[in-house]
Amino acid sequence: MVADSGGVVGIGGGGEPESSDSLRTFGAMVQALREHAGLSREELAETIGYSKHMVASVELGRRMPDAAFVEGVDRALGNTGALIRAARHLGRQPGLAAWFRKWAKLEAGAITLYTYECRLVPGLLQTEAYARQLFHDELPPLKDDQIEAQWAARSERQRLLRERPNTAFSFIVEEQLLLRRTGGAATTRELIDHLLDVSELRNVEIQVMPLVRESHAGLHGPMQLLETSENKWFAYTEAPESGQLLADRKVVSVLQGRYARMRSQALTIPDSVGLLQRMRGDL
């Protein structure tokens, strides 16, 4: 999984989409046709060359079936073409990991969004060159179409910054992320220029946490916080191949306190802009 504080589908568990109405409806169709044909899940799986677990995951609406699965099941259960036609309406958001989709939906309607990152520049602030370097560094290696899907999903999310001018965005990023020069000097120059450009938006605040800081409230790791239009707060934390959406008010309150402390520990907004300009000049 390529982390960006905006999960994206890599290889493995992250490729399984969040259950949706279309997936559950399709799964119910498969189950009904299978039972009508008098086949068990094991028997259907053996017939189409997939595992019992795969059949169960599709029937329960937990997994997006690939074309070969759909065609095989359709042949095995009457060859009517109904499942093939139904599969065309299955919906998912390519490029975003299953665990991130609920957060992305909340993010799209948030009136306040706070992001702290210590691993890499947040996805909402990345340039295409920087993001593609992250995708190329992923292991196991991604296919070209996976990279394209991931960049498409990320660039679509980035429209939030300019299309939601009444949403207050706050970012705290570590100085070390730019000193690393991911992608090389040219990519880093472009990235800093982009950060400076975005920081001029009235609804966006970018603060840099300096490399040397004796007290740091963010040592527990990256986090995101948002406020909905109903003034409810949620938090999101991410780890390799997983993410956690947090709604418990006590837990969210703790994270809000940490973020508030980090805002006081990071450089002020004008000082952050000054540091970015100096770093840009050093490249």
Side-chain angles (χ1 to χ4, degrees):
M1 189 277 297
V2 183
D4 73 334
S5 275
V8 289
V9 175
I11 304 296
E16 195 163 298
E18 172 190 340
S19 182
S20 65
D21 288 343
S22 63
L23 285 172
R24 286 190 290 269
T25 300
F26 181 83
M29 285 183 62
V30 172
Q31 181 174 352
L33 290 172
R34 174 181 59 76
E35 291 176 349
H36 181 73
L39 297 176
S40 66
R41 284 176 176 169
E42 293 94 330
E43 290 169 334
L44 177 59
E46 184 177 353
T47 300
I48 63 175
Y50 281 79
S51 68
K52 173 188 174 183
H53 177 264
M54 175 66 177
V55 173
S57 293
V58 171
E59 289 188 350
L60 295 172
R62 295 175 179 170
R63 188 160 185 176
M64 176 73 73
D66 58 27
F69 180 94
V70 175
E71 292 169 2
V73 172
D74 190 76
R75 284 194 302 270
L77 301 180
N79 204 27
T80 64
L83 289 176
I84 294 175
R85 290 192 296 272
R88 296 170 186 163
H89 302 286
L90 291 176
R92 66 173 178 176
Q93 192 171 357
L96 292 183
W99 62 79
F100 187 73
R101 291 195 188 106
K102 288 183 180 179
W103 175 261
K105 185 176 181 180
L106 290 170
E107 180 184 69
I111 62 173
T112 306
L113 182 66
Y114 297 156
T115 302
Y116 165 66
E117 255 298 346
C118 57
R119 305 163 302 174
L120 66 172
V121 172
L124 289 177
L125 299 178
Q126 293 174 9
T127 61
E128 181 173 356
Y130 181 89
R132 286 185 179 276
Q133 182 63 52
L134 300 179
F135 301 150
H136 283 290
D137 288 341
E138 179 68 6
L139 292 173
L142 301 180
K143 299 177 182 177
D144 289 345
D145 60 341
Q146 290 176 310
I147 291 176
E148 294 307 317
Q150 293 192 6
W151 169 243
R154 191 159 304 180
S155 61
E156 177 67 22
R157 286 179 55 229
Q158 290 178 351
R159 295 171 58 184
L160 293 175
L161 297 177
R162 300 182 188 275
E163 293 184 355
R164 295 191 60 84
N166 295 322
T167 296
F169 294 90
S170 168
F171 298 91
I172 301 174
V173 298
E174 294 283 346
E175 180 183 359
Q176 67 189 29
L177 302 181
L178 301 170
L179 293 174
R180 185 176 299 143
R181 300 189 181 183
T182 298
T187 295
T188 304
R189 279 195 297 270
E190 180 188 34
L191 178 62
I192 294 177
D193 286 341
H194 179 65
L195 294 178
L196 290 169
D197 178 58
V198 171
S199 69
E200 294 181 359
L201 297 174
R202 289 193 302 274
N203 61 326
V204 178
E205 296 181 348
I206 298 176
Q207 292 179 261
V208 178
M209 185 69 75
L211 189 61
V212 178
R213 177 59 74 207
E214 293 182 3
S215 179
H216 193 326
L219 298 182
H220 290 272
M223 70 174 78
Q224 290 184 272
L225 295 155
L226 65 74
E227 180 185 12
T228 69
S229 58
E230 294 80 25
N231 303 116
K232 295 181 180 179
W233 283 87
F234 294 88
Y236 177 78
T237 59
E238 193 172 77
E241 299 297 343
S242 65
Q244 186 175 19
L245 177 64
L246 305 167
D248 186 282
R249 287 182 295 177
K250 292 183 179 180
V251 175
V252 173
S253 178
V254 169
L255 296 180
Q256 286 175 314
R258 290 178 187 168
Y259 194 87
R261 178 67 61 84
M262 280 191 287
R263 292 183 87 168
S264 70
Q265 295 170 333
L267 298 178
T268 65
I269 295 171
D271 287 345
S272 295
V273 169
L275 176 59
L276 290 172
Q277 290 172 337
R278 292 193 298 275
M279 295 178 74
R280 174 63 172 83
D282 290 339
L283 288 169

